[in-house]
Amino acid sequence: MTSTRSTRDGAVDQGVPGSIPSKAADRGIPEATVARLPVYLRALVTLTDQGIATCSSENLATAAGVNSAKLRKDLSYLGSYGTRGVGYDVEYLRYQIAREIGVTQDWPVVIVGIGNLGHALANYAGFSSRGFRVVALLDSDPARVGKELAGLQISGSAALEDLVREHDVAIGVIATPAAAAQEVCDRLVASGVTSILNFAPAVLSVPDGVDVRKVDLSIELQILAYHEQRKALAFGSAARLGDTG
Amino acid sequence: MTSTRSTRDGAVDQGVPGSIPSKAADRGIPEATVARLPVYLRALVTLTDQGIATCSSENLATAAGVNSAKLRKDLSYLGSYGTRGVGYDVEYLRYQIAREIGVTQDWPVVIVGIGNLGHALANYAGFSSRGFRVVALLDSDPARVGKELAGLQISGSAALEDLVREHDVAIGVIATPAAAAQEVCDRLVASGVTSILNFAPAVLSVPDGVDVRKVDLSIELQILAYHEQRKALAFGSAARLGDTG
DNA sequence: GTGAGTTTGTTCTCGCGTTCACAAACTCTT
DNA sequence: AAGAGTTTGTGAACGCGAGAACAAACTCAC
């Protein structure tokens, strides 16, 4: 839900005139399922680490925190990789999901904005372990340029276009302040980046064919605050809150 | 969608026998709408900064990156805060949304796990500016305990229960490694925390009435990778990818 | 005051996602 | 080999959210 697939209401949906009825043709996996596949993948890795070679949909569903019917339906979009009466081969399913997501190949990634968050992202082990290779760190602050971080030297923002093209980068991560986000985004897109992960608290506008996913930490907390407030009200301690309209 | 409202299939849905038909009673705002309210709030703050006092649903929708019909429907769940023929008063609407979300009051927050990410979160300005006050930082690594960060001293994990109770903390942030996440979660919940923001790549199980939202950085990238792979395939450069099944 | 223009709030329809329930397909015991 | 027990894959029902479209309500010009 934090994603903007511009192809949905853009070029792809208008459809090439003589093409196949979309869903069957492109093996279209529902967006909600796509968002869960990485969770299943992580659960399967955990099972592997525990030395478990086979699992039922019930086992895997529990490990992934979903119900088993949903899991089976999700997997059915990929193909029939299970065996009735037996379950799923952990290694086999793991590979199939990894292949479907695309993490069997290596994805070069650039991170723009090396503040607190960018710093953390550059050092984040979860990226490299899952097929993502940080190939460049960029920042506009001259005080940061040249410093080494996570085995890379921080480049000035002027180098953005060259670095993206040189490493054939398709995925860019924006961790700049909100004010700089749109400009950085435009430059990334102009250089050939077609997927953006945005941590800046700003709405990005991108051309059709470019995907944006956003992660906004304060929004997550605000959603929790909403539910927290409602819990407090539901338990009758409303007087303390003092919102007098 | 990254949220687990255990009340959905838990106590609340079973319904107190003599209670009111739920939706009307609790002014139940759809989850999808709740997730967008903070975005509207941010957009309104931006408009205020630009000195704009009134805006139409079209203006605000553009600033928030949604379409205007959706915006109006979302706002209608809160009440009728606009004026037909005129639009919305920016300040007034801003306050109403803030009140509805609950960010007019102050929310004490603890952060557990002061690694790279926890470090960044502790320094994140977006929290304090939106009604969240970090009251404690916790880490199990003795090397980090005692160090100062963002105006706070890092406490050892043994102090978790006391700190949560002392500050009456309802919201906890978990930024530990995956292996430690469930134990930390259990301790937070046992101490009275009822909302958890989880950055650890692990599925947390919590009792009914506790909300969990998860942010998984590598999952976001994997979702982008999936779409990226499909774009590559759609443009016929499939040969390069070399996934031979 | 009246009519033209504007903008909100709401109704209606459609599609997606979730869940239930069951047939198909496999293993294992006897 | 046949039946009992398991587990997958899927058809169907249902509920929620998105978007279009329109009526209600306001402003402004004259």
Side-chain angles (χ1 to χ4, degrees):
Chain A
M1 299 304 121
T2 60
S3 106
T4 305
R5 290 235 65 213
S6 34
T7 45
R8 280 282 152 168
D9 39 347
V12 167
D13 241 9
Q14 290 169 3
V16 183
S19 71
I20 319 156
S22 81
K23 262 296 163 54
D26 56 3
R27 295 255 316 283
I29 299 180
E31 198 55 37
T33 297
V34 171
R36 282 188 295 266
L37 290 180
V39 181
Y40 302 153
L41 186 54
R42 198 176 65 196
L44 287 166
V45 172
T46 305
L47 291 178
T48 299
D49 291 347
Q50 294 169 0
I52 298 172
T54 298
C55 68
S56 68
S57 63
E58 195 66 38
N59 295 151
L60 184 53
T62 304
V66 301
N67 86 29
S68 63
K70 194 182 330 199
L71 171 74
R72 286 199 302 276
K73 175 149 277 191
D74 282 343
L75 294 184
S76 77
Y77 291 114
L78 313 189
S80 287
Y81 295 139
T83 308
R84 297 172 193 226
V86 179
Y88 301 93
D89 182 281
V90 173
E91 280 305 309
Y92 181 60
L93 184 58
R94 183 161 102 84
Y95 174 73
Q96 293 300 338
I97 293 180
R99 190 178 53 84
E100 190 73 37
I101 297 176
V103 292
T104 48
Q105 49 183 304
D106 231 51
W107 293 99
V109 170
V110 295
I111 300 177
V112 186
I114 314 299
N116 281 307
L117 187 57
H119 203 279
L121 294 173
N123 278 317
Y124 185 48
F127 287 170
S128 44
S129 73
R130 268 171 257 276
F132 300 98
R133 194 163 33 91
V134 179
V135 297
L137 305 174
L138 292 139
D139 201 293
S140 63
D141 183 354
R144 291 191 188 125
V145 175
K147 294 245 165 70
E148 194 172 309
L149 173 60
L152 284 169
Q153 215 174 3
I154 300 176
S155 306
S157 60
L160 190 150
E161 284 78 3
D162 286 345
L163 285 168
V164 167
R165 295 209 179 90
E166 179 191 340
H167 293 96
D168 202 18
V169 173
I171 302 176
V173 176
I174 298 179
T176 65
Q182 183 65 58
E183 192 210 319
V184 167
C185 173
D186 292 343
R187 289 177 59 191
L188 286 172
V189 170
S191 313
V193 166
T194 47
S195 286
I196 289 177
L197 181 52
N198 178 34
F199 288 89
V203 175
L204 296 181
S205 77
V206 294
D208 280 5
V210 175
D211 287 331
V212 175
R213 290 190 69 84
K214 71 165 195 287
V215 175
D216 191 312
L217 309 177
S218 93
I219 285 184
E220 297 300 323
L221 275 189
Q222 291 177 61
I223 294 170
L224 287 175
Y226 169 80
H227 292 302
E228 207 46 56
Q229 188 181 33
R230 305 201 72 236
K231 284 183 220 163
L233 290 168
F235 288 150
S237 47
R240 279 255 149 176
L241 294 174
D243 36 301
T244 49
Chain B
M1 299 303 115
T2 60
S3 107
T4 304
R5 291 236 65 213
S6 30
T7 45
R8 280 281 154 172
D9 40 347
V12 168
D13 242 17
Q14 290 168 6
V16 184
S19 71
I20 319 155
S22 83
K23 261 296 163 55
D26 56 5
R27 298 252 318 283
I29 298 180
E31 199 54 38
T33 296
V34 171
R36 280 187 295 266
L37 290 180
V39 181
Y40 302 153
L41 186 55
R42 198 174 65 197
L44 287 167
V45 172
T46 305
L47 291 178
T48 299
D49 292 348
Q50 293 169 0
I52 297 171
T54 299
C55 69
S56 68
S57 64
E58 195 65 39
N59 296 151
L60 186 52
T62 304
V66 301
N67 88 26
S68 62
K70 194 183 331 198
L71 171 72
R72 287 197 302 276
K73 178 171 273 194
D74 283 343
L75 294 184
S76 77
Y77 290 114
L78 312 190
S80 287
Y81 295 140
T83 308
R84 298 172 191 225
V86 179
Y88 301 93
D89 181 282
V90 172
E91 279 306 307
Y92 182 60
L93 184 58
R94 183 162 103 84
Y95 175 73
Q96 293 299 339
I97 293 180
R99 190 178 54 83
E100 190 72 37
I101 297 176
V103 292
T104 47
Q105 49 181 305
D106 231 53
W107 293 99
V109 170
V110 296
I111 301 176
V112 186
I114 315 298
N116 281 308
L117 188 57
H119 202 281
L121 294 173
N123 279 316
Y124 184 48
F127 287 170
S128 45
S129 75
R130 268 172 258 274
F132 299 98
R133 193 164 33 91
V134 179
V135 297
L137 306 173
L138 293 138
D139 202 294
S140 63
D141 184 353
R144 290 190 189 127
V145 175
K147 293 248 166 70
E148 194 172 310
L149 174 59
L152 285 169
Q153 215 173 6
I154 300 176
S155 307
S157 59
L160 189 149
E161 284 79 4
D162 286 344
L163 284 168
V164 167
R165 295 209 178 90
E166 179 190 341
H167 293 95
D168 202 18
V169 173
I171 302 177
V173 177
I174 298 180
T176 65
Q182 184 65 58
E183 192 210 320
V184 167
C185 173
D186 291 343
R187 290 178 60 193
L188 286 172
V189 170
S191 312
V193 166
T194 48
S195 286
I196 288 177
L197 180 53
N198 178 34
F199 288 89
V203 175
L204 296 182
S205 77
V206 294
D208 279 4
V210 176
D211 287 331
V212 176
R213 290 191 68 84
K214 71 166 196 284
V215 175
D216 191 314
L217 309 175
S218 92
I219 284 184
E220 298 300 322
L221 276 189
Q222 288 176 63
I223 295 171
L224 287 175
Y226 170 79
H227 292 302
E228 206 47 56
Q229 186 180 36
R230 304 201 73 236
K231 287 182 218 165
L233 290 168
F235 288 150
S237 46
R240 279 256 150 178
L241 294 173
D243 35 302
T244 48

